[in-house]
Amino acid sequence: MTSSIEPPRILEARDVSLSFTHGHGGATARAVDGVSLSLAPGRTLALVGESGCGKSTLARILLGLITPDNGQVRLRDTPIDYSTASLKEMRRQVQLVLQDPLGSLNPRHTVYAAVAEGLRIHGGADDESRRVHDALASAGLRPPETFYRRYPRQLSGGQRQRVVIAGALVLQPQVLIADEPVSSLDASVRGEILSLLVSLRQERQLALLLVTHDLGAAWSIADDIAVMYLGRIVETGPTEVVVREPKHPYTRALLAVARASRRIPAELLPGEPPDPTRIPSGCRFHPRCPLLSSGEIDGTPCKEEDPRLRAISVQHSVACHYPE
Amino acid sequence: MSLVSLRNVELAFDSSSGPLHILRGVTLDVQEGEVVGIAGESGCGKTTLASTILRLQPPTARLSGGVMVNGVDVNQMAWGDVRALRWAVGSVVFQGALHSLNPVQTIGQQIMEPMLIHGTQPSPSLARHTAQELLVEVGVPITRFGAYPHQLSGGQRQRVVIAMAMACRPQLVIADEPTTALDVMVQAQVLEVLLNLVRSHNMSMLFISHDLSVLAQVADRIAVMYAGRIIEEGTTSQVLEHPLHPYTRALVDAFPVIGDPRHRFAPASLSGEPPVPGRYGVGCAFAPRCPASEDQCTQAEPTLLGTMDHRVACFVTGGRE
């Protein structure tokens, strides 16, 4: 092991891009457009943005479920070559938790079968029942034996999401990618699942990627934030820094909406969520940018030049010609 | 006189395993020009409660208590009056805009339809004119009048549904999770449109949401429901800033204050699971999950007590901060 100031990276995307084309001769959507990010053990990164910003596509690239057009995904500093063996190793190490637990679980499989499935796919284990038991306990379903024979419909929404998380934990992965893990859950249950994610990151030193539109959830559990807009990361840094001193006007708009109340209504961005088939020239945020529309800035570079993500302090980076 | 006045409303369904008590004595008023928010989790009865106002509860439901709109009990109304009640007195905006719209009719026709059926606009040309005005008011370009629902974005569709709900200039709009399926920024835009319309036409609104941060932006008053009852009610600032009921506190804490260090790495959690809808035992339904529960809580059910500004149904925290 080398010792360096750089945090160790388990999973990393290096300058990945991916486009989708609609049908024959349809418009091409640049869903992910040159993104780099890395996950470290015992740390949580929140990837936040509106629908269509490419955050779920990026998550699927990191899982090896889709192959990027350009760039590399590296697992413990080895590039994934998308061979069967390399993907199998990837799927053992990197696990996914989705939004809707009912959709992730087979209604005709018991809790035990659902959790053991991953083990069986990966060649089985001599101590299967012990590992299922431990995974359920780690996911907060205690005593685990009482859940073995139950079916998804006999569980509450929070319990189902815990079963999904247990199924992800049973292979003892190093990375957990959670795509909107609490969006479909009731308010009183959200906190429980978020607490579980916090404790897993601490106790198992998991690297966690939280994909969400919810800045509140990001503030609750993430060490770092990356804000995504139209296929790019436009701002990234430690959560406290990004929330307290947001530099990108888009980050500020998202924060204002999340904090709005009747006394302090947020100033809203005009227009519909952006369309990845029609990415504006220059800075892709410029047609909706409040700095530009208020005339606070000259704005010529915004219309002409695509700003790159650049560091403004040791850990804080922003892609804006006029970072505040 | 209140526009809507619910008095001790009880609603139950019969099932093979016994009755399901969905609403258990709900009393609530909505004044003219007032926005009342109803908060609560899935299965707490908030949508059922709203449906009783327009007599939309399923025919198999057994209902008792008073549901008065403009002083008239809706369950005693003749059928013709019920028809007038729906759309012309009160209209509904639901969550999924795509399901509220007819896919093979233009949005213009759909906004005109309630006006023509209820005769609030005497001629098709006047209805068309009003529909176009409404479209502009909700912020959809007038060029989209002849468009079909699938040609619009999710946010635009929800705006069209809002225009439909406003078409007959009702006194009351019932908004049932109207922005839940939308993206953060679009959600804020749609809320703004809805609130501006309600205010400019001096309508009342009953706004149902599980999301207290949304209610904080729209409601004058908030009623929090749990297990078929209102467990806390009052002005928005009282309920959100000084919640009394342990359940309300848990709900408030479930939405962290972004930037508050106390909410870092400490997501608020409530033990236990929400109760099975309709099957509630003796005592306070929240007692099994309640961090403040005492012996008396499992023996009797607390009633809603306090002032008009703030009432709570809790033996432990009732009457004190």
Side-chain angles (χ1 to χ4, degrees), chain A residues 230-249:
Chain A
L230 266 185
R232 281 273 172 83
I233 288 174
V234 296
E235 182 159 8
T236 181
T239 304
E240 274 97 352
V241 177
V242 173
V243 166
R244 298 228 167 92
E245 300 155 43
K247 300 290 182 191
H248 198 286

Side-chain angles (χ1 to χ4, degrees), chain A residues 197-261:
Chain A
L197 294 175
V198 170
S199 64
L200 289 176
R201 146 188 165 280
Q202 275 154 356
E203 286 158 20
R204 294 195 171 217
Q205 284 294 300
L206 273 174
L208 180 67
L209 180 70
L210 174 72
V211 181
T212 185
H213 69 276
D214 180 354
L215 277 165
W219 177 257
S220 286
I221 72 164
D223 301 280
D224 304 291
I225 284 187
V227 180
M228 213 168 160
Y229 187 81
L230 266 185
R232 281 273 172 83
I233 288 174
V234 296
E235 182 159 8
T236 181
T239 304
E240 274 97 352
V241 177
V242 173
V243 166
R244 298 228 167 92
E245 300 155 43
K247 300 290 182 191
H248 198 286
Y250 181 63
T251 312
R252 284 201 294 277
L254 281 183
L255 281 165
V257 166
R259 286 166 161 163
S261 70

Side-chain angles (χ1 to χ4, degrees), chain B residues 99-121:
Chain B
H99 304 291
S100 303
L101 294 170
N102 184 339
V104 295
Q105 233 184 9
T106 66
I107 59 164
Q109 285 171 314
Q110 296 187 60
I111 301 172
M112 286 163 63
E113 188 178 293
M115 295 187 257
L116 295 172
I117 290 176
H118 289 275
T120 56
Q121 293 297 335

